[in-house]
Amino acid sequence: MTATVTAAIDEYLDSVESGNSAAVARSALREWANWLAAKRDVTALDDVAVIDCRRYARHLKRRTRDDDLKASTANTYYAYVRAFLGFCEADELIERNPAAVSRAQSQLPEDPGDADRQFWSEHDRNAILRFMDRRVERALDGETDVSRERAYRDRALVRLLALSGVRGAEVFRDPADDRRDGVTWEDVDVDGGAIRVFGKSREYEYAQLPQRAAEALERYRTVAEPPTPEFPVFPTDHAPSKYSAAREQLGEQGYDDHRVEQILDANPIDEVVQEYEVVVPAISTRGARGLMERLCDQAGLDIDGEYLKPHGARRGLGHQLYSEGHAELAQSALRHASISTTHESYSNIRASETAERVDDVLDE
């Protein structure tokens, strides 16, 4: 009987020593198995081909471009798959390891390290936050063509990124990952200062929600009046997606196709969403990056020819906390599993501090 991918993974994991590495491997391999089934329609182990591994490598590369993964992490995830399939080859479950073939591995992202990866400096963070406040004031005074709701939404989005340490893929929709559909209002706990996100660990976690971010979210919620707690905090602006969601959910509510079209023809889509409690999709990670690019352009912010990217906010927050001597706070804010991860992420700061101390000693 042909072994399934998931059964073989379980057997492989039983052979791996327990610990944090095994836990990460388990998460990565199960995510890969789900991707194989959903995107490649492959569930049997001996059906896994070189082209599937090549496509998976390309999928990982795409996630690095979307700032969902570091290049180093993408290569690590692929290495787990390669090691697993190597185990299967050694156990004679498959004839060869398709992940070890060069044309599959050639699609992996290059790992240049973190030296050139963007982070929001304190100056740039404050500049974009001030701009968002002014934008809300101008919308309230009718001095811009941006609606009041949009201005409040965008300010809440920027404050959440800038101050909470969340990853973009944790709060926005990732079209390549069915489980990442964006945070909803029921995930937001303003009083508790926390927001529930689907973390990098592929488990739900609570990220810290500082007062300024919580305040922006609460004011935005008051203006937006989401029709249901399941509504995304940052809904898409894509009209076809709204109409598609409305047609599907109105049908589920018992309206026939003719009546659905009557409703949609007679009312603006946003009114239909509100009145019939339609849950539209969240803005995508790509859409959020496009929004940040437009906002930086409007604010006159240019960061070495780039805009403030969503994941750079997380790095910037950690950088400031760590550089000011709050390593444990940085670990907590960024939800690193161990302080060693935090130290590794900001090793450049430690090296700089060490250099200064060495200089002091040598100059004595």
Side-chain angles (χ1 to χ4, degrees):
M1 183 176 179
T2 302
T4 64
V5 172
T6 53
I9 286 174
D10 288 339
E11 185 173 349
Y12 168 68
L13 291 172
D14 285 341
S15 72
V16 178
E17 293 183 5
S18 61
N20 187 57
S21 178
V24 176
R26 179 179 294 106
S27 176
L29 288 172
R30 288 178 176 168
E31 180 181 348
W32 170 68
N34 291 336
W35 179 89
L36 270 181
K39 303 299 182 182
R40 304 293 295 167
D41 196 26
V42 172
T43 57
L45 180 62
D46 56 10
D47 285 341
V48 179
V50 174
I51 190 62
D52 300 311
C53 297
R54 180 178 169 88
R55 294 285 188 271
Y56 180 62
R58 190 176 300 165
H59 163 71
L60 292 173
K61 181 187 289 187
R62 189 178 302 115
R63 288 182 64 186
T64 64
R65 291 170 179 165
D66 291 345
D67 268 344
D68 183 28
L69 286 180
K70 293 181 179 179
S72 59
T73 304
N75 279 272
T76 298
Y77 283 4
Y78 190 90
Y80 286 133
V81 172
R82 186 173 56 232
F84 159 67
L85 292 173
F87 166 86
C88 293
E89 180 183 16
D91 254 20
E92 300 183 357
L93 297 174
I94 55 176
E95 291 186 5
R96 67 167 181 169
N97 182 348
V101 176
S102 60
R103 69 183 177 95
Q105 298 183 89
S106 68
Q107 294 298 298
L108 286 167
E110 294 184 9
D111 181 13
D114 287 340
D116 61 347
R117 292 177 71 85
Q118 185 198 85
F119 70 89
W120 295 17
S121 69
E122 182 180 6
H123 175 271
D124 292 332
R125 181 194 309 121
N126 290 335
I128 191 65
L129 290 174
R130 286 194 301 269
F131 171 76
M132 300 311 297
D133 287 341
R134 291 196 302 270
R135 192 165 176 260
V136 167
E137 293 171 0
R138 292 182 62 206
L140 293 175
D141 293 338
E143 297 176 358
T144 177
D145 56 1
V146 176
S147 70
R148 182 179 64 156
E149 180 177 337
R150 174 69 63 80
Y152 274 104
R153 185 203 71 171
D154 293 350
R155 181 174 69 172
L157 183 151
V158 172
R159 283 199 190 179
L160 181 65
L161 289 175
L163 305 173
S164 70
V166 295
R167 301 175 178 88
E170 293 176 333
V171 294
F172 308 126
R173 177 174 55 87
D174 182 355
D177 190 335
D178 292 339
R179 296 193 66 185
R180 295 194 181 280
D181 49 9
V183 291
T184 66
W185 284 108
E186 65 182 349
D187 294 320
V188 179
D189 182 1
V190 168
D191 294 334
I195 182 168
R196 193 179 77 128
V197 298
F198 188 60
K200 184 178 179 180
S201 65
R202 311 235 10 121
E203 300 289 342
Y204 282 98
E205 307 169 1
Y206 281 94
Q208 55 99 18
L209 189 63
Q211 183 177 354
R212 291 175 67 195
E215 177 187 81
L217 283 167
E218 186 61 26
R219 292 188 178 181
Y220 163 46
R221 175 161 49 187
T222 301
V223 172
E225 296 181 337
T228 170
E230 292 79 25
F231 202 77
V233 175
F234 305 113
T236 182
D237 291 324
H238 188 239
S241 296
K242 294 181 182 180
Y243 276 100
S244 177
R247 287 190 174 93
E248 179 181 350
Q249 293 173 43
L250 287 172
E252 293 172 352
Q253 292 177 26
Y255 297 98
D256 61 34
D257 291 346
H258 178 68
R259 180 55 183 151
V260 168
E261 294 308 318
Q262 283 185 324
I263 293 171
L264 293 176
D265 289 342
N267 303 281
I269 184 59
D270 289 336
E271 291 184 9
V272 173
V273 167
Q274 193 74 23
E275 180 176 351
Y276 293 90
E277 297 186 351
V278 174
V279 177
V280 303
I283 188 173
S284 67
T285 50
R286 184 181 299 274
R289 289 196 304 277
L291 173 62
M292 287 304 306
E293 187 171 11
R294 292 191 298 274
L295 290 173
C296 287
D297 182 60
Q298 294 168 18
L301 283 172
D302 185 299
I303 298 84
D304 297 325
E306 293 279 0
Y307 62 96
L308 291 171
K309 299 178 181 180
H311 202 70
R314 172 181 168 85
R315 297 190 194 101
L317 177 65
H319 187 278
Q320 182 175 350
L321 293 175
Y322 194 95
S323 64
E324 293 181 1
H326 305 296
E328 290 78 11
L329 183 58
Q331 177 196 357
S332 180
L334 301 183
R335 288 169 287 124
H336 286 159
S338 69
I339 192 64
S340 62
T341 301
T342 311
H343 289 319
E344 181 181 353
S345 298
Y346 298 101
S347 58
N348 61 315
I349 297 176
R350 299 179 73 192
S352 176
E353 291 174 346
T354 300
E356 290 179 3
R357 294 174 65 186
V358 169
D359 284 338
D360 289 343
V361 171
L362 296 179
D363 288 343
E364 289 179 354

